[in-house]
Each structure stands twice: as C-alpha cells, then as structure tokens.
Amino acid sequence: LSRRKAALGKLYKVARSSYGPNGKIKLIHNGLGGITVASSASQVLLPALDRGDMLSRFLLESARAHVQRCSDGGLFVLLFSVMLVQGCLHLGLESIIQLCQLCVEYLQSDCCRCRVQVDLSNLEQLLSLTRTVMMSKPACLLTAEEAETMTHLVLQAFLRTVPDGANAGQGLGMTVLISVLGCGVEASRVLPGLLVNTTTQVDHFASLQVPKEFLVAVVSTSLAGDILEGGDEVLSYEVPLGMDEEQAVLSMLFRFGEWIVAAGVRLMVCQRVVHPLLMQVLQDKGIVVLHRLGLEVMDPLLRLTGARPIGSFFSEPESTTYGVLRSLEPVKIGCKDFLLLQTSRSVPVCTLVLCHRTDASLNELKIVCKVAEHLLQLVLKQSYALFGGGCTESHLATFVRHQVCSHLTRWAVKVLFAQNFASSLENVAKSLKPDGFLHLVDNKYVNNSSLMVSTLEGLHCACGLAVANSNLSWCTLGPTETERKFEGQALPATLPSPLLLDSFSARINALLVAVETASVILETKLIIEESHLS
Amino acid sequence: MHPLPSLGTDSPRFLQGAHCLPVTLFLLNSQNPGSLLTSTHLLVVDCISTHCRATGDGAKSFVLLLSALLRGCKQTLEAEHLGLLSHSSSNTCFRDKFRKAQQKRLASDLQAVSRETLHEIFKGEIPGHAVAQDWTTDERGRRVLKRVLKSYFATKVHARMSGVLTTLVCDFVMRFACGLHSLSGTVRFLLDNHFELCTEVLGRPVDRSHHLEGLVLHRDFAVQHSSLKDKSLVFFVVFTEPLLPLSSEEHDLTFSFSDELDFQKCHLGASRYVQKLVERLVQIGVHAVLSTVKQIPSFQFYLKLNELSLVECLPEEEGQLLCKLANIFPCPSLSEISCIDCRFVGQASSMKSVLLGQQRCVCLQLEKTSEGFFPCSLILCAPIKGLVSQSSAAFLGALKTLRLWFKTTEDNTVVPIEQSAANGFLPDNMMLQNLVGHPISNTTLPQLRAADTSKKSVCLNSDATLRSSQVAGNAFILSDQLEPGKQHDLINAGCLLPAGGTFELLTHYFLTSYATRLDSDNRSETVAYLVLAKALLSIPQQLLQNRCSSQAKRRVTLLHLNEMITHYVSILAVCMNSNVLVLYHHSLGWQDSQDVCAPAPELSSLRSNLGPATNCHSGVSQAGQYTNKCAVRRTDVTLGVLSASLSWWTLKIPS
C-alpha cells in the first residue's frame, strides 16, 4: 500500500504542479542526447514521464490514450485518478463507477447548472472556449494581449474551415499550421488559401505574369526519372549493353512535359521530386514548378485547387485532372520564403502562421493551437461547454455530497466513499491555484473561487460566472458539518463575459476514463511484472 | 528469449530416471531441484499453455491443482519416511531405496487413478449432477448463454468490464446465431474470424463498447471518391495479388528489353493494361476496389480518374472473410481483362470511413449473407491498450470455452433422466435458495451410482430432437455410446454444473467414497485416492478464501471445510451469492484434472522442452499474456505466478 502511494505520489506532484495556467513549466530531457523541452502540456509531459513502476505506467498510458482522442484533459485524468486511488486505497474496493455515472447523468441532464449551451453564432462563447485553452499553458510565454490575439486568430482559422451553405456536405476543411521561428507573436496571422514552403527566391515569382485564373497540375508520382515501381514486388530489368534506360524514361518525361504545356498549365506541383531537366524545360515555357511538397500538403492542395492527382506520366492527363487557382503570391515571413496559393472558389482551407521567438514556446504554441482547434471541432458534435477554472469540479463535488446524503439508499454508496470522491474533485479544483490560497464556493451557483486576501470585495468565481455582491455568500470549499444546500438558482439568460469554458466532450471523457482507471487500480490485488530469468 | 541455465553435472541421471515417473515425483526425486527449476517451469508452463490453447480457461485451476498435488505427495512420502525411521533401525542406504520405491509406487498409483477411477467417475457419477441446457437461438438460449458468459468473464476481466462484456458478447453471438440457426456453428465462425470481427479502441470508457453494423476493414481509403457515401448499393471487387506493371505468365519479375523503344513500349503497355482494367471495372459497375496488397501508383491514378475508391493493404484474413461473406472470388490480377465479370463483384449497402479511436477505418456494410445474417463488428473500448487487449483475449477465451461445449453435441446421443433422488441431485435455483441457511442432512446426500446403462431407453441424435424433447418438459443429459476401440469424450457436451468448485467437490466426494470401498490390502492405492481427493479441495478452498476477503465473509467463515464437503450443495449456494445460479462447464473441470494427473506423456518430451527453441513466454494464460504486454491485472488467486515462470514457493518443491 505504501509503495503504491509513494509511486503515485511522484506522478501526483508532477501533474499537480503542471496543471492549469498557474502550472510550473517542466524541463524535459530524454537522456539520450536529445534536445531539452520546456513544457507543461500533457502532450509533451505524458510521453516524457513514461518511466517508473507499473502502476504509474498504467495511469500514464490511460491519460495518453485520452489525450490522443480528445486532445485536452490529460493532466486532469492523471490528477483525478491518482487522487481517487490515494483517497480510496484505505477504504478497500468499492464501486466508484456508480458515483461517476451519477455525475455524468447530471452533466448530461437539462437541470445541470455547470454547463452552457454553446450557440455557434455567438462568437463570445467560442472565444471563451478558445481563450481557456490558450491561457492554460504558461510555456507559450504569451502576454494577455498576445493571448487574446492568438485566441482570435485560432477562432478565425477555425471558422474559415467551416464550409459555407453550398459546400455543407463536404465536411470540415483544414487549417495548415506553419511555424516561423524568430519573429514576435504579433507576426502570427491567418491567411486564406495555402502557404507552401519554397526553396526558390520569392522575387522569381513576383516577376511572373500569371493570368487571373490559371490551371494547376498536381502530380503525386515521382518525376525524377525512376524506373517503374512494382508495388510490393521488386522488379528487375535486363537491358542490353549500351542501352540507356534513364534516357528512355527521360524521353517519356519530356513527352509528359509537352502534354502539360499543351494543356495550358501555369503551375505544376509535385509531391515528390521532379527531374532537373524536366523542371528546366517547364520553367523555360513559363510554368512554375514546385516539388518535394510531401504528403501532408497534398490533401489541402487538392481541396484548394479541385485537381485530381496525376499518378502516371505514361498517358496524357485528362482535362478534368487539372485544378484552378486564382493567384500565386510570394510571401516572406521572417527569413522564410513562402508562396501563397489562393483560389476564387469558396474552399474551407486556410493557413495559420504561428510566430514566436523561442523554439520551446513555438512548439508549445503549436500544441495549444492544435488543441484549441480540436476542441472547437468537438463543440460542433456536442454543442455544450462546462465552466472552467475548477468551477465544474467544485460544483460536482457539492452535487455528489448532496445526492449521496439525500438518497443514500438509492445510490447504495457509503458516505465515506462519496466524501472521498467529492474531495478528489475538489482537490483537482484546488490544484489550479498554488498552495496558500483559500478556496471558497458561492451559495448561488456553487462555483469555485480562490483568494489570498481576507477581503471578499471584487471576488468572483474562477470561471467568471459568480461575482461577489450583497446577494452572494461564500463558504469554504470542502466538507461541511451541515449539509450544504444544492438548490441554487438557474443560470442567467445572459451570461457574463468573459467566461472560462471547458470542452464538454473532452471533460466527460476525461472523467469517465479517470474513474475507470482508478477503479481498475483499486480492484488490483497483485501486480505481476515480467522478470527476466537470470 | 532468455538463456537457459545449465542443468548441473548430475542432471542426466535425473533425466534418465525420470522417464517412468510423473512430473510430480520427478520433482520430488531430484536431489538438486534448483538446477532444474527453470526447465521444470518450462514444462509446467508448457502444460498450462497447451491446456489453455485447447480450452480457453482453467490455467489458474491447473496451477492450484498441481501445487496441491505436489504438496500432498510430499507430505505423504515424508509421513511414510518418518514412520520408517521410528520403526526400523535400517541404515541410510536402505531408507533411500525404500523412499524411492515409495515414490515409484505412489506415481504408478496416481497414474492408475487418473486412468481408471477418474474415468469412471466422470463417466458414471458426475453426469448425474449436471444440468442439461437448452442451446437454442431464442430468448431461452440467450439467457443460458448470458449466465455462462457472466460466469466466465467474472474471472477474466475486472468487475466493470465483466458486466459490459457479458451483455455485449452475448448479443453479438446471438446476432450471428439467429442467422446461422445454430449456436455451435456461430461459435465456430466467430472463433475462426475473431480478429477480423473485433476492433480495439483506446482512450474510451469500457461502456462505450458497442456493435457496429458491417465489417470493419482495418485500413483507411487510399482513394475515396465523395460519391461513395451517397450510394445505396456499393459494388466492390477484392484483389489479393499486386497488379504487375507487365504481364508475365510465370510471374517472373525479370524483364528483358531489346532497345529503348522496346523499354518504352513495355512501360506504356503496362500503363495501358492498368487503364483497360480499371475501365473494365467501371464497365461492370464496380464502385470500390479492396486489395490485400499494395498496388502500383498508376492503378491508384486510374481509379481516381474513373471515380472509384480503393482500400489497400488489408490483412489477408479480412480479404478472405470478405470473399466468403460476399460469396465472390478474388479478382485475378494477371488475366484477360474480359474474364473479369460479375462473379468477382460483391455488393454492400454502404461503404464509409469511420474513426475508431485514433485509427481511421473503412466500414463495409454487407448485404445479407448466404448464411442468412448481416455481418457486424464488435468494437471494444477501454482507457488503455492493456485493458482492451484483455477484453479481446477474454472474448477469444469465451469462444474457445463455448466451442468445447458444442464439440460433441452433434455426435453424441442423448438420454433422458428423471429428476428423482435415485438419479442423483440436480441443483436448481429454487433448491439452492431454500438450502441457504438450512444445510442438508447426511441422509439427503447423493448416493453413489453405478454406471446405469438401463436408463438408455431413448436415444436421440440431433440438437433439434433434444430441443423438442426439452420443450416437452424432460431434462436430458448427453451420453455417448461406448464402443470398443473408439475414442470417447467422457464428459458429455452441453451439460452444466454450478460454478464455485462444484466439480472438484463432487470428484473429491466420489474419490473418497471409492477409497473407503477399497480392500485393506490396497493401502497404497487408497493413499493415492486420498492424495488426489485432497488436492482437488484446493480449488473450492481457494475460492472460499478469496471470497472471505469480500462481502460474504461473515457467512462463509462460519463453515468449516469438512462441513463443506458434507453439505456441498448448501455451501455452493453460499458461494454462488445465495440466489444466483452461476453455471460452469464441467468438461473444463475434467480437463484440468486429467491434465494434472497424467503429465507423463509430457515428460517424455522433457529433453525437447529443454531446448533453446522453447518459448517460455508462451506458457501463460490470457491474463498472463496481458500482464506481459502492459500493466496490471486483477487476480483472484494470490499465487506468486510470475508471467513466465512459476516461483519456487508456489510449487513447494523441497530444496
């Protein structure tokens, strides 16, 4: 028991000290000569923490699987499951699933008072959701203004990926993230269309005269003059002495080039390599050639241009395979040269350029932007959000205490056990603030608040919903001698702004995964580990 | 592969002397068992592995029985040795010879018991206490199946997962069974295609596991045309070979060219072949191409050009299953294009991309198969890989167990029995409930029955007859007709015993009874009976101990083990949570005892077991395999069984 507690204690310390906007940054070095990473994001921390005993690995894997699925809430899973295990170890095996289901049912019911219906036409709510994520990672090193700018940019990029009425059936579009090191955050921007990296000087493109709309050929196969590929099979060729098979292939490539020129193509983009001679020939004919773009760019490029990838150079491409672009604009961001491809059609593809001065912050910013984008996508599936800043946790804790005390026989859960469950939730809420803070809950919305000073003036709950006034009273977060009332008012029709909001889908999944992980650990009687025979 | 330790200088002598001894006494006989420990582990682990592969269950019972049997043998021999010391003044040499003679005798007696008496008990006595079940595909069959699965999963996965898996697997099996009209056929089908029909999803709570209509192909589209999702009927072909760019009759992949023009012509020819092939596919109305291999890039290109979709690199088994269910042949890749016709084209209701965890897969919803069912897939969710693999392994194990159940049902004949006291005791729900708190007296104990052939008044040969007779209100047990020289399954398929150690208690009871009936001259044989009978008690004893640590503590601890044997039925009721009849397939119990009591054939291959090719990792149960892979597991047997080796103290080998 003590060994398990000790093993979990280390995880708890790491998770607690990294959790939320006040979390401390961790420097991570893999010990194999890799770079040192500074982060407090679960996407970076969880793989780095994969050392230690079996119980810790089990917990970490659970949190990691959740992060892979929902992007957010990895540290919540870790923290909550550790607290549940530590709080319930001495009580023996009990079903915490029942309590969790109680919470989930409440969160999904209409009477829930810690969630809000997200109106997709209300930008303020979407901004709140994005802002909560943007401000939760101190390693991004963003000032308040920069965080606000980034919040707007991420939301702007997301909204550009939502197809309009005419293309509603196509599904969400794509945001391509481009990171540029060395510029300030203020240089970050959202660009309509696709920004592709190019090794050629942008001045070259600036001098090109391209028509208003021009044809684009997107080639997915290699034009380097390779001989035929055989799929899974390895093919070998026998050629007579003196025969130059490369020349034979090259002449076919030139013929393909002639077809491209004849079709009136002005831009040829190749996923792989283009033979330098072919490239020269095409450029001489006034065709812009971009190659080595890689697989990642192909999907947004095809969507943007409406082209179909050309997979063979042996036959003449049909006219329907070519796509159309409106403009080809050279862009220089920092010391990097890009080419911005834009179309006149309404296509949900855009580029989010992220700039930062340090590598670590840029990486963290990239992670945060990806998380925010994913959470916004999740809102489209379930248009709800939960109050952030620990308010949902403290609200649920009070709800559990109230329910178990009121309906003990119905839920058949021991009071002590329910107290532990509620305490674990409250501890997660408390983890958002450093030690030394006094944590309070209001009587109206049962939301969490924390303060260090003795005055209650100007006090508001962590999510921003409850603001101190004459009608609002506060009491200490945690168990009380008398049962706390849980019949507060319904949420106001107009919510105050700004609010801290968490993703509903991600948080529900995190809650379920954490409880399930903890229940497995609590049920475990014996840990068996493979040991090598000496 | 771990390096095997050396056997020591004196090991060959042990090996020579071990040929005629069962493994138990071989261990006891060893003067330096420590040096043989690893090889012994491998042997035991190999036994367990073989047993588990065949039955899907019983690994822990096996270890417990073996351990108890070893302990019993050792205690018996030591007692006899002490007796010799006190009553004889013989020298050390004599005592050693005496000890070895005793060991040999006990070994041969144990073998005789396992060969003859156990055989008789399983054939004649146990079936009288079994309940024949109605394995229909209707609601009644579903209830029975659910109880059986509940009993199985309770010991394989953690409590929460057990409940979810029971309902899910039961519904899954019944879905197929309703189409196939046979549970046995369904189990065979599911067992053959377990991996193709089961998909693991990480990062989700267990109760998000569900059935998904259609077959999940564990690959994403390489080419997906947007119109595919709007189609109400999708026609597809399956390729199992790569489309070679140049045709060759003997699949010789070396091509000769005479000059550059020839080289170009060949390449162009290859391209045209692929082009014509795709045009042919369009001509016969194909919408999607499924391939078990990676195809050449130009094939993808032409498919895209002709608005066809492609899924490639499918596992071979999935391709085979698809062809089987759609009743089509795989498309020949190197043939005359005109040969490709509707024989190779399957049809499905829909084909779409689904996101399962982090993996994007294709879900192909097939039309009703020729067997009469709509294929569906089982999606198993869990927070981590280890847990979801454990669920999957438990599902596979359950199917193996069920397969055993139906193994001989179709071959055996069925004999009706009367539910009377003379025929033995048939526990049911009501009786077990009534017996809780009212232990039955000795007078109501089941009487030993001789093999009663006079009851074989009605012989039935099929499941259908069995079902119709049971509907009429008769209960049946299955019995095979013994014929000289024919290998028989002693335990009849389709019968059930209550779980919780019933089988072991019954066998213990009958062994003890047989022992008391033996002549006083057969003292050594009596000892073997009693050693085995006592060893069998380790299973219910362990179940009781494990249960004592939970909610049934108060009720169970009051009952002494001896009383338990006498009043086994009432104890069973307590063990079974008072009012829940949990079922247990007694042929599994039989398998356990037989394997443990007759390991001599295994011993003959001891030398080969010691070879470096032996994989010590193979000898673990499903749960053990799980622990090798990932994390923690729940165990209800507190044995120090390391995943690949049984520890010293578990086997109680004297040092």
Side-chain angles (χ1 to χ4, degrees):
Chain A
L1 204 67
S2 57
R3 268 191 300 177
R4 280 189 199 185
K5 278 195 169 184
L8 294 177
K10 287 178 192 169
L11 271 189
Y12 174 76
K13 276 181 189 169
V14 175
R16 193 178 190 279
S17 60
S18 314
Y19 190 51
N22 297 310
K24 301 285 178 285
I25 299 169
K26 304 287 176 296
L27 287 177
I28 301 155
H29 190 255
N30 65 6
L32 297 171
I35 56 164
T36 304
V37 181
S39 178
S40 65
S42 53
Q43 283 86 345
V44 180
L45 282 180
L46 295 175
L49 284 173
D50 199 5
R51 308 279 189 275
D53 67 313
M54 206 164 179
L55 217 54
S56 308
R57 291 206 302 270
F58 182 85
L59 274 169
L60 287 167
E61 194 177 336
S62 186
R64 209 159 40 216
H66 165 78
V67 171
Q68 280 174 358
R69 186 175 173 78
C70 297
S71 297
D72 192 26
L75 291 178
F76 173 86
V77 172
L78 202 58
L79 209 52
F80 189 44
S81 43
V82 170
M83 281 175 180
L84 277 179
V85 172
Q86 287 192 330
C88 304
L89 263 181
H90 66 280
L91 292 176
L93 180 64
E94 287 287 349
S95 175
I96 51 173
I97 300 291
Q98 208 177 357
L99 286 166
C100 178
Q101 277 172 347
L102 182 68
C103 293
V104 172
E105 278 171 21
Y106 173 68
L107 289 174
Q108 288 175 336
S109 69
D110 290 336
C111 60
C112 177
R113 297 202 308 277
C114 61
R115 73 164 197 200
V116 285
Q117 172 94 41
V118 177
D119 180 6
L120 295 174
S121 62
N122 184 346
L123 274 183
E124 198 51 51
Q125 283 185 342
L126 295 177
L127 278 172
S128 295
L129 194 64
T130 317
R131 190 181 296 117
T132 311
V133 183
M134 293 305 302
M135 295 176 74
S136 65
K137 299 289 177 282
C140 289
L141 298 179
L142 299 177
T143 62
E145 291 79 27
E146 286 171 344
E148 196 59 30
T149 308
M150 287 311 303
T151 303
H152 279 83
L153 286 179
V154 169
L155 184 59
Q156 196 183 341
F158 169 73
L159 291 175
R160 280 183 184 276
T161 63
V162 180
D164 59 9
N167 303 314
Q170 290 181 1
L172 277 180
M174 293 166 215
T175 303
V176 179
L177 286 182
I178 301 273
S179 48
V180 180
L181 186 64
C183 306
V185 182
E186 65 280 359
S188 303
R189 66 190 90 162
V190 176
L191 296 169
L194 184 66
L195 200 64
V196 290
N197 207 343
T198 174
T199 48
T200 320
Q201 290 294 317
V202 288
D203 303 340
H204 167 71
F205 299 108
S207 63
L208 285 174
Q209 296 294 319
V210 287
K212 199 172 183 183
E213 276 201 337
F214 53 91
L215 287 182
V216 183
V218 182
V219 183
S220 60
T221 191
S222 169
L223 298 179
D226 308 329
I227 50 175
L228 272 183
E229 293 179 23
D232 282 346
E233 305 291 337
V234 177
L235 303 179
S236 56
Y237 299 91
E238 281 179 8
V239 290
L241 199 65
M243 174 187 152
D244 186 357
E245 70 268 23
E246 193 187 340
Q247 190 57 45
V249 176
L250 198 58
S251 60
M252 284 190 282
L253 279 177
F254 286 148
R255 192 165 51 181
F256 175 75
E258 284 167 16
W259 289 328
I260 293 287
V261 173
V265 170
R266 296 305 303 271
L267 172 67
M268 192 181 84
V269 186
C270 184
Q271 180 190 336
R272 301 184 194 185
V273 182
V274 178
H275 196 285
L277 284 177
L278 176 64
M279 194 186 285
Q280 189 60 51
V281 167
L282 290 173
Q283 282 174 350
D284 290 348
K285 301 277 183 184
I287 296 174
V288 180
V289 181
L290 298 175
H291 70 148
R292 298 172 191 264
L293 256 67
L295 189 61
E296 282 182 8
V297 184
M298 288 302 279
D299 211 10
L301 182 68
L302 291 171
R303 204 153 173 180
L304 185 78
T305 57
R308 280 187 287 181
I310 298 169
S312 170
F313 57 88
F314 299 116
S315 57
E316 186 177 355
E318 287 184 20
S319 57
T320 52
T321 46
Y322 301 119
V324 179
L325 280 179
R326 189 192 68 194
S327 68
L328 194 67
E329 189 184 333
V331 178
K332 194 173 176 76
I333 304 171
C335 55
K336 276 190 173 180
D337 291 326
F338 296 96
L339 206 56
L340 180 64
L341 313 179
Q342 286 180 309
T343 178
S344 52
R345 295 181 302 132
S346 168
V347 178
V349 174
C350 69
T351 308
L352 175 58
V353 182
L354 301 175
C355 302
H356 217 306
R357 288 195 178 83
T358 63
D359 199 18
S361 305
L362 188 60
N363 286 334
E364 192 84 342
L365 190 61
K366 204 171 177 180
I367 290 170
V368 170
C369 289
K370 278 182 183 171
V371 172
E373 192 198 358
H374 190 202
L375 294 188
L376 286 167
Q377 287 170 357
L378 288 177
V379 169
L380 295 182
K381 286 183 184 171
Q382 266 187 313
S383 56
Y384 292 108
L386 294 172
F387 292 131
C391 287
T392 299
E393 287 83 355
S394 54
H395 185 89
L396 280 180
T398 314
F399 169 74
V400 166
R401 284 206 173 94
H402 172 77
Q403 285 291 312
V404 173
C405 292
S406 316
H407 312 288
L408 186 59
T409 49
R410 185 180 161 203
W411 297 110
V413 178
K414 285 180 183 172
V415 177
L416 188 59
F417 199 80
Q419 293 287 5
N420 269 288
F421 188 87
S423 297
S424 301
L425 278 170
E426 285 164 351
N427 283 337
V428 174
K430 287 176 185 175
S431 304
L432 285 162
K433 288 283 178 186
D435 293 337
F437 274 74
L438 176 64
H439 295 270
L440 305 172
V441 283
D442 67 284
N443 64 337
K444 194 174 176 183
Y445 303 116
V446 202
N447 275 10
N448 174 40
S449 179
S450 50
L451 74 170
M452 283 203 80
V453 291
S454 56
T455 173
L456 291 176
E457 199 174 324
L459 182 69
H460 59 83
C461 75
C463 71
L465 178 70
V467 183
N469 56 40
S470 56
N471 298 328
L472 210 62
S473 63
W474 302 85
C475 60
T476 318
L477 182 67
T480 51
E481 288 179 7
T482 55
E483 188 191 330
R484 187 178 295 151
K485 276 185 75 178
F486 191 78
E487 291 168 2
Q489 290 181 4
L491 295 176
T494 314
L495 293 169
S497 178
L499 274 178
L500 280 187
L501 295 177
D502 276 339
S503 166
F504 182 77
S505 312
R507 196 43 64 98
I508 292 255
N509 198 67
L511 186 69
L512 285 166
V513 167
V515 168
E516 209 152 85
T517 309
S519 72
V520 172
I521 292 175
L522 287 170
E523 273 190 80
T524 305
K525 293 282 188 297
L526 189 68
I527 295 173
I528 300 168
E529 205 162 1
E530 187 174 4
S531 61
H532 295 276
L533 298 174
S534 55
Chain B
M1 176 63 64
H2 306 301
L4 287 168
S6 83
L7 291 175
T9 50
D10 50 358
S11 55
R13 188 154 54 85
F14 298 129
L15 294 176
Q16 284 163 13
H19 281 296
C20 59
L21 295 173
V23 67
T24 54
L25 296 189
F26 166 69
L27 294 174
L28 293 172
N29 199 26
S30 170
Q31 290 171 13
N32 184 15
S35 62
L36 284 172
L37 195 60
T38 308
S39 44
T40 312
H41 290 168
L42 294 177
L43 177 67
V44 174
V45 164
D46 199 38
C47 281
I48 299 170
S49 178
T50 311
H51 171 82
C52 269
R53 270 200 298 274
T55 62
D57 196 9
K60 285 170 281 187
S61 305
F62 189 104
V63 176
L64 280 174
L65 272 175
L66 180 59
S67 171
L69 196 58
L70 284 166
R71 251 196 321 267
C73 289
K74 186 187 166 215
Q75 283 167 1
T76 307
L77 291 172
E78 279 176 355
E80 289 185 1
H81 191 58
L82 282 173
L84 182 69
L85 286 174
S86 58
H87 294 100
S88 166
S89 56
S90 54
N91 58 22
T92 313
C93 179
F94 174 77
R95 282 203 297 275
D96 282 349
K97 280 183 180 173
F98 178 78
R99 188 169 62 86
K100 283 179 182 171
Q102 291 287 86
Q103 285 172 359
K104 277 190 178 179
R105 203 184 64 238
L106 184 56
S108 60
D109 286 343
L110 274 173
Q111 280 183 323
V113 172
S114 72
R115 269 198 310 268
E116 295 160 15
T117 316
L118 279 181
H119 201 78
E120 198 178 326
I121 289 171
F122 298 146
K123 174 79 183 81
E125 309 295 350
I126 303 282
H129 301 270
V131 184
Q133 284 299 331
D134 189 7
W135 293 106
T136 55
T137 55
D138 57 8
E139 193 52 39
R140 199 171 159 192
R142 177 193 291 271
R143 279 201 300 273
V144 176
L145 183 67
K146 196 165 185 176
R147 289 153 88 183
V148 170
L149 288 173
K150 186 179 176 185
S151 162
Y152 181 85
F153 287 127
T155 62
K156 293 288 175 288
V157 290
H158 73 94
R160 174 152 175 73
M161 205 184 279
S162 163
V164 174
L165 265 186
T166 303
T167 312
L168 202 66
V169 171
C170 182
D171 291 345
F172 189 66
V173 172
M174 292 311 286
R175 275 185 73 138
F176 283 90
C178 289
L180 290 167
H181 302 294
S182 155
L183 263 176
S184 55
T186 303
V187 169
R188 272 200 302 272
F189 173 78
L190 293 179
L191 203 51
D192 290 343
N193 303 293
H194 164 259
F195 292 105
E196 290 77 47
L197 295 171
C198 195
T199 305
E200 301 175 358
V201 175
L202 310 185
R204 297 283 286 158
V206 171
D207 61 0
R208 295 293 189 268
S209 303
H210 62 282
H211 299 155
L212 186 67
E213 293 295 335
L215 277 182
V216 173
L217 308 175
H218 295 88
R219 286 279 169 185
D220 193 12
F221 283 105
V223 178
Q224 184 180 17
H225 195 262
S226 55
S227 66
L228 193 66
K229 60 185 173 190
D230 303 327
K231 294 194 189 305
S232 57
L233 209 55
V234 176
F235 293 100
F236 63 90
V237 287
V238 178
F239 280 91
T240 53
E241 291 169 356
L243 281 179
L244 296 179
L246 306 171
S247 61
S248 166
E249 285 177 5
E250 294 173 359
H251 292 239
D252 183 1
L253 301 181
T254 304
F255 303 99
S256 298
F257 304 105
S258 55
D259 54 23
E260 288 176 14
L261 194 63
D262 191 23
F263 184 79
Q264 286 183 7
K265 273 182 184 172
C266 279
H267 282 71
L268 290 172
S271 178
R272 281 189 192 127
Y273 171 78
V274 176
Q275 193 178 1
K276 294 281 179 200
L277 176 71
V278 176
E279 279 170 7
R280 175 65 185 166
L281 292 176
V282 174
Q283 199 181 354
I284 57 174
V286 171
H287 301 125
V289 174
L290 309 173
S291 171
T292 56
V293 290
K294 177 130 182 82
Q295 295 293 357
I296 53 174
S298 60
F299 188 44
Q300 280 192 23
F301 167 63
Y302 285 112
L303 287 176
K304 271 182 197 167
L305 211 59
N306 289 281
E307 301 183 353
L308 267 67
S309 301
L310 169 70
V311 185
E312 57 184 3
C313 300
L314 285 173
E316 265 183 44
E317 293 78 9
E318 272 177 26
Q320 285 168 5
L321 177 64
L322 206 55
C323 291
K324 189 178 161 188
L325 293 176
N327 204 15
I328 55 169
F329 295 103
C331 226
S333 61
L334 294 171
S335 67
E336 281 296 319
I337 289 170
S338 57
C339 290
I340 298 172
D341 55 23
C342 56
R343 288 173 303 158
F344 304 102
V345 182
Q347 65 180 55
S349 316
S350 71
M351 189 175 183
K352 56 190 175 189
S353 195
V354 287
L355 185 66
L356 297 170
Q358 289 302 298
Q359 200 185 355
R360 193 173 283 279
C361 304
V362 173
C363 180
L364 186 70
Q365 203 169 334
L366 288 172
E367 295 280 287
K368 196 172 186 178
T369 63
S370 53
E371 287 87 0
F373 62 86
F374 292 94
C376 69
S377 302
L378 185 64
I379 311 296
L380 293 173
C381 302
I384 67 161
K385 173 77 180 158
L387 288 179
V388 79
S389 301
Q390 194 186 17
S391 298
S392 181
F395 175 42
L396 183 63
L399 289 174
K400 280 183 181 175
T401 308
L402 288 172
R403 180 188 59 181
L404 266 188
W405 222 310
F406 300 113
K407 201 173 175 183
T408 53
T409 309
E410 284 144 11
D411 309 329
N412 284 345
T413 55
V414 185
V415 181
I417 56 160
E418 296 168 13
Q419 291 189 11
S420 63
N423 256 339
F425 192 79
L426 286 170
D428 59 22
N429 263 330
M430 187 59 74
M431 296 174 82
L432 290 168
Q433 281 177 36
N434 292 339
L435 284 166
V436 176
H438 303 92
I440 54 171
S441 63
N442 283 339
T443 53
T444 59
L445 275 176
Q447 301 299 308
L448 277 178
R449 293 188 313 143
D452 193 351
T453 50
S454 65
K455 296 286 179 194
K456 294 184 179 177
S457 53
V458 180
C459 293
L460 306 167
N461 288 312
S462 69
D463 280 344
T465 328
L466 170 65
R467 281 197 295 276
S468 61
S469 304
Q470 283 177 325
V471 171
N474 296 325
F476 292 90
I477 59 166
L478 302 171
S479 173
D480 50 354
Q481 287 180 319
L482 292 171
E483 288 174 21
K486 183 184 171 187
Q487 184 66 35
H488 291 281
D489 282 320
L490 291 175
I491 296 299
N492 307 302
C495 295
L496 303 167
L497 276 178
T502 316
F503 173 79
E504 289 80 10
L505 283 170
L506 282 171
T507 315
H508 167 89
Y509 176 77
F510 290 118
L511 274 174
T512 318
S513 304
Y514 273 61
T516 54
R517 288 191 304 171
L518 289 174
D519 298 335
S520 55
D521 299 342
N522 293 336
R523 192 184 162 274
S524 66
E525 205 177 330
T526 311
V527 168
Y529 272 93
L530 294 176
V531 165
L532 185 54
K534 195 179 171 189
L536 281 164
L537 278 184
S538 62
I539 301 290
Q541 205 170 9
Q542 191 62 54
L543 287 171
L544 264 169
Q545 277 179 16
N546 291 343
R547 199 160 183 82
C548 281
S549 61
S550 59
Q551 74 271 21
K553 189 172 183 177
R554 283 185 202 159
R555 282 180 293 177
V556 180
T557 44
L558 297 173
L559 300 162
H560 191 266
L561 189 62
N562 288 336
E563 288 176 15
M564 187 174 95
I565 301 153
T566 318
H567 307 291
Y568 72 92
V569 176
S570 59
I571 297 298
L572 281 174
V574 176
C575 290
M576 288 181 296
N577 217 358
S578 303
N579 55 4
V580 181
L581 180 67
V582 189
L583 300 167
Y584 185 76
H585 182 206
H586 77 229
S587 73
L588 286 180
W590 167 77
Q591 192 92 22
D592 285 344
S593 304
Q594 283 287 300
D595 284 357
V596 172
C597 295
E602 294 289 338
L603 206 62
S604 60
S605 59
L606 181 61
R607 284 177 191 279
S608 60
N609 278 338
L610 294 174
T614 308
N615 182 5
C616 61
H617 289 274
S618 65
V620 286
S621 68
Q622 301 133 5
Q625 285 172 353
Y626 161 61
T627 56
N628 276 346
K629 281 180 190 169
C630 292
V632 192
R633 78 174 173 92
R634 171 187 176 272
T635 175
D636 50 3
V637 181
T638 47
L639 279 178
V641 185
L642 295 178
S643 60
S645 61
L646 304 172
S647 69
W648 176 267
W649 60 269
T650 305
L651 288 175
K652 299 289 179 192
I653 301 164
S655 54

